[in-house]
Amino acid sequence: MARWERFHFNPRPSQQELEAIASVVEVDADSLTQMLPPAGVGMQHEPIRLCGACYGENPCHRIEWQYKSVWKCVSEAPPMEARHLLKLLAKCPNCETPFKMPALWEDGCCHRCRMLFAEMAKQQKS
Ligand SMILES: [Zn+2]
Ligand SMILES: [Zn+2]
């Protein structure tokens, strides 16, 4: 559960991080600040999002996929440079089943149609 607990204690992004996110989502850092909810609730738990390309490189859920206003793949540690710039998936592109919570991602594939998460990268739009 450690990964999920981090959602609650994750500090609000720094100005530098905000600017990095802003460059990815093509808004300025100030408007991004306004889009962010109060400190501590900048994440959302649902829907669970996934970058199949990241997952193929390193099979684990990444916290930054859940940043509320970011729907593209960016790296977690500052500076938050863009990674694949792929649009994150919120459901299986094959059968449209929403992802389970990452603690249950034992097989690294859709629990319904068994499509591998890494394979889903091909379905992600850039
Ligand atoms: Zn990625
Ligand atoms: Zn599926």
Side-chain angles (χ1 to χ4, degrees):
M1 285 303 290
R3 294 187 78 78
W4 287 91
E5 283 159 12
R6 284 176 57 202
F7 273 83
H8 302 285
F9 302 109
N10 202 73
R12 194 175 169 81
S14 69
Q15 185 63 27
Q16 187 194 16
E17 289 170 330
L18 280 175
E19 280 165 14
I21 300 172
S23 70
V24 171
V25 294
E26 295 174 354
V27 296
D28 62 70
D30 285 343
S31 16
L32 195 59
T33 305
Q34 286 160 21
M35 285 156 64
L36 286 175
V41 287
M43 307 285 189
Q44 58 186 30
H45 293 213
E46 295 196 336
I48 300 301
R49 303 174 184 172
L50 169 73
C51 172
C54 283
Y55 196 88
E57 291 168 11
N58 181 14
C60 64
H61 179 266
R62 290 173 179 274
I63 228 76
E64 68 269 21
W65 295 336
Q66 303 302 134
Y67 285 149
K68 209 158 193 157
S69 52
V70 178
W71 274 91
K72 280 181 180 172
C73 171
V74 296
S75 72
E76 180 170 6
M80 295 188 44
E81 78 258 11
R83 284 175 56 85
H84 301 108
L85 285 180
L86 293 171
K87 189 170 185 300
L88 298 176
L89 298 166
K91 59 188 177 184
C92 172
N94 187 46
C95 71
E96 309 222 319
T97 302
F99 299 123
K100 283 190 182 181
M101 55 183 292
L104 304 175
W105 289 3
E106 289 138 16
D107 302 327
C109 64
C110 172
H111 58 278
R112 184 150 174 253
C113 72
R114 314 299 292 176
M115 184 180 196
L116 291 171
F117 291 156
E119 287 286 302
M120 293 176 187
K122 295 172 193 160
Q123 314 281 335
Q124 286 173 262
K125 298 184 179 74
S126 55

